[in-house]
Amino acid sequence: MIERTFVMLKPDAVQRGLMGDIVARLERKGYKPVAMKLMHIPRELAERHYGEHKGKSFFMGLIDYITSGPVLVMVWEGENVVADMRAMMGKTNPKDALPGTIRGDFAQQTGRNIIHGSDSVESAKREIALFFNDYELQSWKLTSEPWLFE
Ligand code: DAT
Ligand code: MG
């Protein structure tokens, strides 16, 4: 099933110069970029995005972190991309993330785990709508499709 997912490279990924490495991994996998922009998230939007964690001990620290500098927000399309992007990211706590995953290779602590990806198709729809207008989502044909899909 072709899906879309929302991915955010957090302020630490941007500051540490990891955007290119991470985007390259997603391109090499054959995923299609549908939207991308660098933005400084307003606090109110960050709180809505992470609404499910409101009230938890780490919530304020998480909002401070995510609003501390520009992030790269993106939408990527591909087969089973929601679950498979989570697998490419690795576990939330980089200590548990396997080598070869993005968090496993580039991060050390949960509070600085460099990347966000939607955890379900429903979350993806909600998050894409929070960060992008329809006109920012590109519908286009990837010419490598015959080499990705039989
Ligand atoms: P994920 O980002 O893997 O979907 P999550 O939705 O459970 O994980 O949590 C959102 C973010 O909140 C996570 O990327 C980092 C932060 N976070 C989660 N649990 C935490 C904890 N126990 N201590 C500090 N930060 C935490
Ligand atoms: Mg989550």
Side-chain angles (χ1 to χ4, degrees), residues 49-50 52-53 86 89 92 103 116-119 123 127:
H49 170 67
Y50 278 127
E52 64 172 310
H53 298 302
R86 297 279 296 183
M89 287 162 49
T92 303
R103 286 163 169 169
H116 166 87
S118 308
D119 61 10
S123 304
E127 293 170 356

